[in-house]
Amino acid sequence: MIATVDSVAAVQEAVLVSDRLLPVGAQTKPALSAVTDPGTVRLDCAGLSGISAYDPAELTLTAAAGTPIVELADALAAHGQYLPFDPPLAAAGATLAGTVAAGLSGAGAQRYGGLRDFIIGVEFVDGRGRHVHGGGRVVKNAAGFDLPKLMVGSLGRLGVIVAVSLKVFPRARAHRTLAATFASPAAALDTIGVLNRGPLALEALDLTSEGRLLVRLGGDDGTLTALTERAEATIGTACERIDGPEEAAMWAASAALTALRGNGDRASENPSDSDAPSGDLIRIPLTPPQLPPLSTALTAAGARHRFSRGASVAWAHWPADRTLTELSDRLADLGLGGQRLWGRPGPPLLGTVPGGPFADRVRAALDPDHRFPEL
Amino acid sequence: MEIIAALGELGLGERLLTTPAALAAFSCDGLTAFTARPCAAVLAESTAEVVATVRACHATGTPFVARGSGTSLSGGSLPVAGGVLIALNRLNRVLSIDPESRTAVLEPGVINLDVSRAAAAHGLAYAPDPSSQSVCSIGGNLAFNSGGAHCLRHGMTANHILGMTVVLPDGELTTLGGPSREGLGPDWTGMFCGSEGLFGIAVEVTVSLIPIAEATATFLAAYDSLSAAGDAVSAIVAAGLLPVAMEIMDALAIEAAEASVKPRYPPAAALLIVELEGDRDTVAADTTALEALIAVSGAVSVTHTADPEERALIWKGRKSAFSAVGWLAPDYIVQDGVVPRTQLGRALAEVEALSAAAGIRVANVFHAGDGNLHPLILFDGAEAGALERAEQLAADILSMCVRLGGSITGEHGVGVEKRAHLPLMFSPDDLTLMGEIRRSVDPGELANRGKMLVPMAEGTAA
Amino acid sequence: MRHTIATDTLGPRGPALTAPIDACVHCGFCLPSCPTYVTLGEEMDSPRGRILLMKEVLEGTLELDSALPYLDNCLGCQACETACPSGVHYGELITGFRAHVEPVRRRPAAARLQRRLLLETLPFPRRFALAARLGRPARALAERLPSPLAAMLALIPDRLPPAAPLPARMPAQGPRRARVALLAGCAQQVLDPDINWAALRVLAANGIETVIPPGQACCGALAMHTGASERARPLARANLAAFPTDVDAIITTAAGCGSGMREYGLLLAGEPDAEAGAALAERVCDVATFLDRVGLIAPPPLPEPITVAYHDACHLAHAQRERTAPRRLLGAIDGLTLVEPAEWELCCGSAGTYNVEHPELARRLGARKAANLRATGAELIVTANIGCLTQIGLHLREAGVEMALLHTVQVLDRAYAHALKGAPPR
Ligand SMILES: Cc1cc2nc3c(=O)[nH]c(=O)nc-3n(C[C@H](O)[C@H](O)[C@H](O)COP(=O)(O)OP(=O)(O)OC[C@H]3O[C@@H](n4cnc5c(N)ncnc54)[C@H](O)[C@@H]3O)c2cc1C
Ligand code: SF4
Ligand code: SF4
C-alpha cells in the first residue's frame, strides 16, 4: 500500500496510524524501497519538496526530503557550487532524503569526501511520531548527538526524514578526464595508490572491470594544463584526454550507473520498471588492498563492475543466473559487505553487515514499537 | 566501598589510584571552574582493563568518566564526585598504518599530533588539528568531534574516523564502521563521534589520513576593524576560493599571543590568517587571486609566506592564544558559539556591545571560515561575583548565536558547562529523544553522567 | 586558575607561589615536555597536576604528605616553563613551595641521612674529592651498605682527573675586549677540572680577561632546589661578598650553577640583601651566552669534518632560555656539522641529585636520552652541564656505545688548539 504525504504533520499522523511503514522517495533504488511484509505501508515523501534555505555565501543549503537532487544541483550550479559528494541517480529522479537514507555518494566524492562529510542537519519523524531534529544549519556544530550522520545509510528504517541541511562547496570551473588502460584492475592498483597519496586533488578516480582507469581533473583553464601533465607523468602509460561535452556525458552515464544495468543489451533508463534490470546492482565498500580478490571473485562470476573513489567502493552488477546467497557468501568470505540498489526481492544488505549491540540499543530508542522494517 | 573492592580484584597494582593527591590531580580538565574528586582513578593499559573497569562500575552502579588528556574546555572529562575516572593516556600506541588504504589504527590515548608524526613517513597526515593538538588525545577528539583551524576544507574529527571498537557502558565490546571510506548501513560510527563519552569508551580507532599538501601559502592580513576582517572572509568564500583555514584574531588576542610566543604579528585591530593548500599550480593560482581579493577588501597590510618556519610561528601564535590569555587575566571562559558565516560581522558587533555593557573584557580569536566564534571572557576569579558575571555574559553570547541561526558549540562540546543552554537549540521532543537514546544504550546513566544531558538522577528528564 | 590561597600569609615568597597558580589555565600544553609525565604517564606527575596539588595543599584541602611523593618526583628541569604559553613560572613555584614546606615536612631517617650527606658533601669540592678518592673501595661493599650511603657511592667516578688549581687571573690574549669573573663551581671542578681550564683558555683567546675571585662558594643551587634555603643563603652571601661588581659578567660554565645564581633575588626575598642578590643575579651569564654576545673569534677550520649532536641542558635551555648561543658557537667551527637529537626538551635525568634520589626514573630518562643522541649518528655529543655529561656518559656506556662527550667550551678549546678529533670517550 502506498500512502502519499505532503506535510510533516501528515508524516507524523501516518507513522502513528501504521503498524509497519517504510518511507520512499522516487524509488530509483527499488531494492531499498521494496517491502517483504505485504502489510507494510509505503510512505511516499516526494510531496515534501523544495529548497527552504540556500545562501551561496554560507555554503549551506536546506531542503525538504522529497526535493529532487537535480533541483538542488541546478540551484547550486547557478552560483558555481555543487554537492561535493556527487550523488548518483540524480537524472533518474533521486530525491534528497532517498539519497541520504541510501547513504549514496558518487565518484566525485574522491575529492572532498562522501555524504557523511556534508550532512549538517536533519529533521525526521521518529518511530513514536515525534518531529525531531538533530544538528543545525551551520557548517560546524557539536551540540547534541549527531543524528544527521545516523540518518546516512539508515535505509528508511530509523525514521522518516523530512528535511536535510547540507554543506556545499564551490565547483571546479573546468574538467578533464584522462583514461589509461591496464591489463587488469589489479595491475592498475599501484597507480591508484600513488594517485591516492599524491599531491593532486582528483575529482574522481575510477577503474572499470576492463582495466580502464579514469582520472578526472578539475581546476580552471589555467591550472588544468599543468594538472594534466603531472597526472599523465604519474600514470606513466599512454593516456587518452577526454574533454568537453563528451567528458561530462561520460560521468553522467557513470552517475546513472548505466553500464551496470541489466545485461547491457537490455539497458533501461528507468530502473524502477519492474522488468528492466535483470540481475542485481550492489555497492560494496572496500579498501584498496581488497580490490584484487574482489575483482577476481566478481570477474569469475561474470559480474561487470567498477571501482570508484580511489578503490574505496565497488559497484557491481550481479548476474541473474547467480544467487544472492552466493553473492552474500562471497562477500562475507572476503570480509566485505554490500548494499543492493535494485534487483530481485531480498534483503538490502548482504555479506558482512554492520550491527551489534550499539545499533540494537539506539534503534530500540528510535523505533520502540518496530514500525519500520528490520535493517 | 564496594567499587574500590571490585577494582581491587582487577590486579591493577599501582595503577589503581585512591590516594587524595592522585585523585586531586584528576579533579578537573581545561575548564577549571568545575572540580570534583573521583573515588578512584584507573590508569588503563589494555582494552581488557577498560572492559573490566567498566564492568565493575556497571556491577556496582558507579558512574565513570573516561579521560584522554583532560584538555576539554567544557568540563567533558570532569570526574563525577565519588565515581571512577578511567585514564586512557597510557593507551597511546599507533597500532598500524596502512599507506595503501590511507588509514591508521590507534589506541585512544594517542596524541593528535603523534598521528601525523607517525604518518609522515608515508607522506600522509591526519587532518583535524585542534589548537590543542600537541596534547589532546584521539579518544577525546572523537568524543567531542573536535575541530581545528583546518576544518573549513577538511571537516571535523568525525569526518576522519572510519571505524572503532568501543566498550559500551555495561562493559560489552562492539565494533562500529570499518576501514573503508565508504559506509554501509546507518553511520553508527558518526553517531558515536561527538557523543561526549555518553555511549561508552572507544578503545581502538581507525582514522583516515590525507596526503601531506605539496604547497601551502599562509596569508596574514591586518584590518582596522573586526567587521572588515569578517567581511573579507565572506568575500573570499563568495569568490569561490576554498582555503583550508581562515582565522581571525582581535587586538586583545594579538596582545596575548605577543606576550606569550611572540609570533611577530603586524599591529592591527583584527588579523586575518588565511591558508591555502594543495598542488603547487593550484596554490600559485589561488595565491594570485587571494592577494587581489584581500587587497580590495580594505586590508591595511597583507603578507604571505610559504616558509615552513614562518608559517609555524604564525600558527604557534594562533594555537597558543587560549592559554596565552593567562597573560592578560587570571581566569577566562572560552565560548564556542557558531553563527552563519554571513552573520559574522553582526555577531562580532553584538559581542562587543555585550562586552561593553557588562564591563568585561573579551578577546576574540576564532575560526572565521566556519563562523565559529571563540570569545575569551576575561575575569579575575578572586573578585566576588566575577565568575557569575562572566557566565552571564557567556550565556548572552550563546543566545545571540542561536538567535542568528547558529549553534551553542562548534567543537568544544556541551559538557557540564553548556548543558543548560541545550534547550536554546533543541525542542523538548529533541531532548527527550536524545535522553531515550542515551538510556537505551546506558540505562543506569553511568557513562559520563551529568555531561551534555541532564540525567534522570538529577530530576527533570532530558 | 582560581584559588583561595591568602598570598599575604605566605611571607615574602608569597607572590612567587601564587602568581604561577593564577597564570596556569590548566591547558596541558606542558605535558609532552615533562620528563616525569612522559615516563610515568600519570596526571599527578605532570606540571599541570603538580600545580593543582600545590594549590590544594596551600588552600588546605589536601594533606601535604599525600602530595609530596609527586612533588618530589619533579626534576625541576623547567621544560614546562618553556612549553607554557601562559607564562607560568613553574620553577619559582616549585622552589618556593619546597622551601615553604621544608620546615614542616617529615622525612624517614634514611632519607634524612641521604639528604644531609648530599647537601654536606657535593657543594664542597674538598669534601667531595675526599669522598671520591677514599670512598671508592667502599663500592665493593655497596650491596651491604644502608641505601643512602650506597646512593652516594654511585656518584663517585672511577677515576678522578688530576686537577691543577685554577689561577687567580687569566689575562686576555691580544687587545682586551671584556673582563669577567668565573664561578669555579664545586662538583664539576672535582669531576672534570678541564672544563674550567678550557673556558679560561677560550675566553682568553677571545680577548676576555677572567678573574677567579677567592672566597667564592658553591652557587647553592642544589640546596635551593631541594627546599634547603637555609643552607643556600650562606652560600649565596659568600658569593655576594666574593664577586666583584666591576666586571662585565659573572661567568658560569655549569648550566645548573648559572640558573641557581640567577635565582638569588628570589632566594633572598625579604632579607636585607635581597636587592644585592637580585643585582648579582642580573650579571650572571653562561659562558656560551657571553662568548656569543661578545662575538666569537672563529677557530681555524678542522682538519677533518666532524658531526656533533648538541644536547640542551635543562638549566641552560629551559631555565636560562639559551638554545641559540651554543649552536652558533659550534656552528662557527668550519668543518663541524651540527645535528639535532629527537626530544630535545626532555631532561636526561641528571638534574642535580636526582639520580641519587630517584634512581629508577633517572635511569629511564638517561637511557632514553642516550638512545636519542645515539640515533643522531653523531661522533661527538656536546652539552653545557657537568651533570648531563656524567649522566649521558653513564647511559651510553651501559648501552655499550662509545661516543665522545665534551662541554661546549672544550670543543672550542680543542678547535683553537687544532686538537678536535678523537676526544676520549668518557
Ligand atoms: C588551549 C586549548 C585549545 C583548544 N583548541 C581546540 C580547538 O581548536 N578545537 C577543538 O575542537 N577543541 C579544542 N580544545 C578542546 C579540547 O582540546 C578538545 O575537546 C579535545 O578533543 C579534548 O581531548 P582530550 O584528550 O583532552 O580529552 P579529555 O578532555 O580527556 O576528554 C574529553 C571528553 O572525551 C571523553 N573521552 C575521552 N577519551 C574517550 C574515549 N576513548 N572514548 C570515549 N570518550 C572519551 C571524556 O570523557 C570527555 O567527555 C582546546 C583546548 C585547549 C585547552
Ligand atoms: S602549559 Fe602552562 S598554563 Fe598550561 S597547564 Fe601547563 S603550566 Fe598550566
Ligand atoms: S620542572 Fe620538569 S619535571 Fe618538574 S613539572 Fe616541570 S617539566 Fe616536569
Side-chain angles (χ1 to χ4, degrees), chain B residues 323, chain C residues 23-31 47-48 51 80 83-88:
Chain B
S323 321
Chain C
C24 175
V25 297
H26 216 69
C27 66
F29 276 32
C30 48
L31 300 188
R48 176 178 73 172
I51 293 172
C80 46
C84 177
S86 192
V88 171

Side-chain angles (χ1 to χ4, degrees), chain A residues 146-240:
Chain A
D146 202 336
L147 298 172
K149 283 207 183 59
L150 182 63
M151 288 297 136
V152 175
S154 59
L155 301 173
R157 272 99 171 144
L158 296 177
V160 183
I161 300 173
V162 294
V164 175
S165 294
L166 296 170
K167 186 165 102 165
V168 300
F169 273 170
R171 184 172 197 267
R173 276 185 277 266
H175 291 89
R176 166 175 289 158
T177 297
L178 305 178
T181 302
F182 290 80
S184 70
L189 194 57
D190 278 348
T191 306
I192 291 184
V194 174
L195 288 168
N196 268 337
R197 289 189 301 279
L200 309 184
L202 304 177
E203 294 277 313
L205 182 56
D206 277 21
L207 180 68
T208 69
S209 38
E210 294 77 37
R212 195 163 138 90
L213 182 69
L214 299 166
V215 182
R216 191 172 206 207
L217 306 171
D220 55 33
D221 298 330
T223 51
L224 213 47
T225 318
L227 290 179
T228 307
E229 278 163 22
R230 297 192 69 188
E232 284 178 342
T234 309
I235 299 165
T237 330
C239 288
E240 182 193 345

Side-chain angles (χ1 to χ4, degrees), chain B residues 328-416:
Chain B
L328 304 181
D331 299 282
Y332 75 93
I333 305 184
V334 55
Q335 278 309 338
D336 175 39
V338 188
V339 295
R341 192 183 288 117
T342 50
Q343 301 287 332
L344 261 181
R346 184 161 158 210
L348 292 167
E350 293 213 25
V351 170
E352 212 171 329
L354 288 169
S355 146
I360 299 178
R361 286 194 302 166
V362 175
N364 282 291
V365 41
F366 53 98
H367 309 303
D370 304 316
N372 190 182
L373 305 178
H374 285 325
L376 295 145
I377 301 167
L378 309 181
F379 67 100
D380 179 354
E383 260 171 49
L387 172 65
E388 291 70 21
R389 285 195 302 278
E391 283 178 332
Q392 184 54 49
L393 175 58
D396 293 344
I397 292 177
L398 294 186
S399 310
M400 180 270 295
C401 291
V402 176
R403 185 157 43 74
L404 294 182
S407 167
I408 56 170
T409 169
E411 53 180 24
H412 296 169
V414 177
V416 276

Side-chain angles (χ1 to χ4, degrees), chain B residues 29-30 65-73 75-78 88 108-109 129-132 135-149 156 192 196-198 200-203 205 318-319 322-323 332 367 374 411-412 448 451, chain C residues 25-29:
Chain B
D29 57 18
V65 177
R67 175 177 165 119
S69 299
T71 66
S72 160
L73 291 170
S77 40
L78 170 76
L88 303 166
D129 65 334
S131 301
S132 50
V135 224
C136 62
S137 71
I138 287 296
N141 292 175
L142 178 156
F144 268 40
N145 190 15
S146 297
M156 315 272 290
F192 196 97
E196 303 198 3
L198 266 60
I201 302 179
V203 286
V205 186
R318 163 62 188 89
K319 294 194 174 186
F322 289 0
S323 321
Y332 75 93
H367 309 303
H374 285 325
E411 53 180 24
H412 296 169
N448 220 355
K451 315 298 168 62
Chain C
V25 297
H26 216 69
C27 66
F29 276 32

Side-chain angles (χ1 to χ4, degrees), chain B residues 25-111:
Chain B
F26 286 100
S27 64
C28 71
D29 57 18
L31 178 69
T32 55
F34 294 82
T35 55
R37 248 189 234 182
C39 74
V42 171
L43 303 175
E45 286 187 351
S46 68
T47 293
E49 286 179 358
V50 177
V51 169
T53 305
V54 171
R55 288 220 172 111
C57 291
H58 184 249
T60 55
T62 314
F64 62 88
V65 177
R67 175 177 165 119
S69 299
T71 66
S72 160
L73 291 170
S74 57
S77 40
L78 170 76
V80 173
V84 172
L85 186 110
I86 307 178
L88 303 166
N89 58 307
R90 292 188 182 197
L91 286 166
N92 62 356
R93 286 172 305 167
V94 173
L95 297 173
S96 63
I97 293 186
D98 177 353
E100 286 306 313
S101 306
R102 283 182 294 149
T103 55
V105 182
L106 313 166
E107 289 187 331
V110 174
I111 302 303

